[in-house]
Every structure is written in C-alpha cells, then in structure tokens.
C-alpha cells in the first residue's frame, strides 16, 4: 500500500511537471517591452492581488519558476532562460548566465519578473514565465524588443570630423517617421544635418555636439520607441574668450582648453602648437593635464599684440582656435615724467585691437573728491583731459574697458605733478611771522 501510494505521488508530480512544461500562453494578450541594448531590461510578471491574497501562504510550497524564450535570433526553438527549483536551486541558459536574475524577496509579493542586464540584441523575442505553486500554475507572456543607437565611426570623435548615427530597432515593421533630438531640441534637416533613412549624418562635428542624442521612431499604429546615445566629441571648451585685454607690463593668459581629456579615452597620439601670426613663431607644448594648454606670456608689450593660433592635432585630425591679444596702454600728451601745475595734459586709453563695442571709463584710485569738486570721480570715453592740471590731479588713474559681457580689462598710469613757487610781499611775511610769534 505504501509503495503504491509513493508510486502514485511520483506519477502525479511527473504529470504536473510535464503539464507545466507544455503550458502555452498563446491565448493571453501579449505585452511588448522595449529596452536599450547594453542597458537593463525588466520583463514584468506579477500575481494578481486576488490570487495573491488567497495563495501567498502556498508560494514557497513547491514553488517553481521557469522563464523560457521562444525562438529569437540565436535559437529556432523554445529554450530555457532561467529556472528556480523548489529547493531554491537555479539553472540558467549558457548564453544568458550571469545576465538574468529574479528578485527572490519579491516572491512573497507575487513578483516573478525577469531582469536582463546587460541586454544584447539577440535577446529580443517572445518570453514566457511559468510559475507553479502548490497545485496552481500561473503564466506570463510578453515580447521583448531591443532598440539602440550606433555611431560610425565610434566615439570619441574629434571636432570637425563627420559621423553617422543610426537608430536600430527589432520592431517587425518599418517606422513611418523618425526624429532626432539633441539637448532636448529637435534637429532640423538643414546645414550640417542630413536625414538618411533611420540614420542622421553630421557632416562636421563641433564640441557642443557632445552629450545625449535621442532618436524617436514612430510606427503606423502610433507606437513610439526612443533610444539615447551619449556622443563624445573632443573639441574646444565653450565660452572661450576670443579677445584677451591685458595692460602693458602685465602677464597675459591665452586660453586653449579642450572640453574632454583625450587621455581619458586612451588617446595619446596628440600634439599642441601655438603660432604667433605676426612673427610666425611656433611653441611646442607637453601634455600638461591633458586638456588645458593655456599660453602664458610674461610682461607683455605692444610688440606682443596680435593674433595667436592654437593648433591641436589628435589622431591625425587638427583643430584650431584663434585668440587675439589686445594690449592696453595709456598715451600721455606730454613726454615729461613730472607735469607742471597749470599746464595742459591729455590721457588717451589706447587699444591695439578694437572689436567695435568697447566702452571706456576713467577713475582716480584711492581718492574721492569733495562734493564741490569741479572734476567728477569717474569720466567716460577713451580720453581724459586736464585743463589746467591741478595738484589734486596727482595720483594713479585707471582706464577700464567694458564690453556687453562686462569689464574686459584695465590699465593704470601714475601722474606726478610739480607745483609752482609763489612769491609774496615782505610785509605779508613779516605780519604773518609776528602774528605767529605773538601767539606762541
């Protein structure tokens, strides 16, 4: 009797196991899930709240979870993806080992979702989850689609190079429309950008093209699928000042800064040159920190003013940036080092380069004239006129140059004034002396 009962139980379990393997979810409505290649895909499978309430106590009684894939690009027939035995032992397919997982703690809440990380293009296909708990069987069926953006040639790329971004999708139909976005803005089909089927051709990259690019595929049934690619373009950093204003005798810093460090991407084939256009001089740089190649010029003079060219060659591609050094000087109408009181004097704030939008302002440093002073504290314009020169004008005067973005630079000049000796009648001196003597 005992042997017969044991035989019947084994036969029942074998029959149930066979039934689980042969269950098909074909009659159920399929859900389509889209995920990005190389990212994480989550295939949802949950027990309903009604079923969970009545059966949660039985979830760990003979619980078996079996995920299978139907076909796919690598398999023609249904094959095992992941199986969880009642003992907790797990079995994986060789092609997905270490890439698929089920959250064991989620079993108590009826969560049997499958996680695939990283997702590969061959993972696309129909998936079924067969969940057996006690004498019950639950089935989930869905389709996994894979979407990706590929770049040819692959990034990182160098500014001024061309590239092609292609939107790939495992959807069985062709999209009726495709759109591309960068930094949240729709890319028009003009200028540097050309739409080619499901690709976007960029004829000439610039440094600001770095960042996320999003392709959106729209299908006839209204379904929209999108994917993102983080494009890396090595070029010059944004907000580079094209004109550097420096006072004569001061140090100048001419910027040449990349937005990315090529060394971070394993690029070591790089050279940097500074070319002074006026004298055709060339300076070779070492790598420094890999992205900052600012040129330092000590105590610049009028002879240093002009156009400088920073040339950076990265893997055979050369990018250039022009920087203009504008030297500021104060031209004095008199060649005397000490100006005589009462004479005529003119200061002119001189620039070696004019962009056309400069504004000039003069002020005397460290001195605030009284309210009844005839000369204002700050004067506008490139010239400052002293007519006549007063002893109160002695000191350091500064010319500040402003542009639309604020102050561009300043230059200072120290004004020394020699006073005039006055002669008075003897009576006045005697009277003053006697008065002074009498007081003491």
């Amino acid at each position: 009797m005992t042997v017969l009962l044991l035989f019947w139980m084994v036969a029942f379990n074998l029959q149930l196991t066979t039934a689980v393997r042969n269950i098909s979810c074909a009659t159920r409505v399929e859900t389509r899930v889209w995920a990005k290649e190389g990212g994480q895909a989550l295939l949802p499978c949950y027990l309903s709240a009604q079923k969970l309430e009545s059966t949660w106590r039985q979830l760990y009684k003979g619980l078996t979870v079996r995920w299978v894939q139907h076909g796919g690009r690598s398999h023609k027939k249904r094959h095992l993806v992941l199986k969880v035995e009642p003992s907790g032992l797990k079995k994986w397919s060789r092609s997905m080992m270490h890439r698929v997982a089920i959250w064991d703690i989620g079993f108590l809440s009826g969560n049997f979702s499958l996680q695939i990380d990283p997702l590969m293009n061959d993972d696309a296909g129909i998936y079924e989850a067969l969940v057996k708990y006690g004498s019950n069987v639950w089935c989930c069926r869905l389709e996994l689609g894979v979407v990706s953006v590929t770049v040819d040639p692959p990034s990182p790329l160098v500014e001024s190079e061309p590239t092609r971004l292609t939107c790939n999708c495992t959807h069985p139909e062709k999209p009726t429309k495709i759109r591309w976005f960068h930094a949240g803005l729709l890319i028009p089909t003009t200028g540097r950008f050309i739409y080619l089927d499901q690709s976007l051709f960029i004829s000439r990259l610039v440094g600001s093209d770095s960042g996320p690019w999003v392709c959106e595929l729209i299908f006839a049934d209204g379904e929209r699928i999108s994917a993102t690619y983080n494009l890396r373009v090595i070029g010059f950093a944004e907000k580079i000042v094209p004109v550097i204003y420096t006072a004569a005798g001061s140090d100048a810093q001419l910027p040449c800064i990349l937005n990315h460090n090529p060394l971070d991407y394993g690029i070591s084939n790089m050279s940097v040159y500074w070319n002074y256009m006026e004298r055709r001089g060339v300076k070779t740089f070492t790598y420094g920190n890999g992205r900052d190649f600012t040129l330092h010029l000590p105590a610049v003079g009028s002879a240093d003013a002009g156009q400088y060219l920073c040339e950076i060659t990265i893997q055979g591609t050369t990018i250039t940036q022009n920087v203009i050094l504008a030297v500021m000087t104060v031209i004095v109408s008199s060649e005397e080092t000490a100006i005589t009181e009462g004479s005529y004097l003119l200061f002119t704030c001189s620039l070696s380069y004019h962009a056309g939008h400069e504004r000039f302002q003069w002020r005397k440093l460290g001195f605030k004239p009284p309210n009844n002073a005839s000369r204002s504290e700050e004067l506008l314009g490139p010239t400052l006129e002293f007519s006549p020169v007063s002893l109160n004008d002695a000191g350091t005067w500064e010319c500040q140059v402003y542009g639309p973005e604020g102050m561009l630079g300043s230059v200072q000049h120290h004004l020394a004034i020699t006073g005039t000796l006055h002669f008075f009648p003897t009576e006045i001196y005697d009277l003053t002396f006697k008065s002074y003597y009498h007081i003491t």
Side-chain angles (χ1 to χ4, degrees), residues 357-373:
H357 55 242
E358 295 89 352
R359 293 181 294 106
F360 299 85
Q361 179 174 289
W362 286 91
R363 66 168 185 158
K364 187 179 179 183
L365 300 182
F367 177 76
K368 185 175 182 180
N371 295 332
N372 59 354

Side-chain angles (χ1 to χ4, degrees), residues 262-321:
L263 298 176
D264 292 342
Y265 305 112
I267 300 175
S268 58
N269 184 15
M270 180 173 61
S271 61
V272 182
Y273 298 91
W274 271 100
N275 195 352
Y276 181 40
M277 305 303 290
E278 306 299 326
R279 293 184 300 203
R280 309 302 299 176
V282 177
K283 182 178 179 62
T284 306
F285 270 81
T286 56
Y287 286 4
N289 67 1
R291 59 183 293 264
D292 189 349
F293 305 101
T294 299
L295 178 63
H296 173 73
L297 297 176
V300 298
S302 299
D304 298 311
Q307 183 179 0
Y308 290 76
L309 183 66
C310 179
E311 299 180 348
I312 301 181
T313 302
I314 306 171
Q315 296 188 143
T317 300
T318 300
I319 56 177
T320 60
Q321 178 174 269

Side-chain angles (χ1 to χ4, degrees), residues 108-130:
L108 285 177
S109 59
N111 183 358
F112 306 102
S113 303
L114 180 69
Q115 176 181 301
I116 306 176
D117 187 14
L119 181 67
M120 296 183 177
N121 195 62
D122 289 342
D123 296 332
I126 305 296
Y127 286 79
E128 283 184 358
L130 304 173

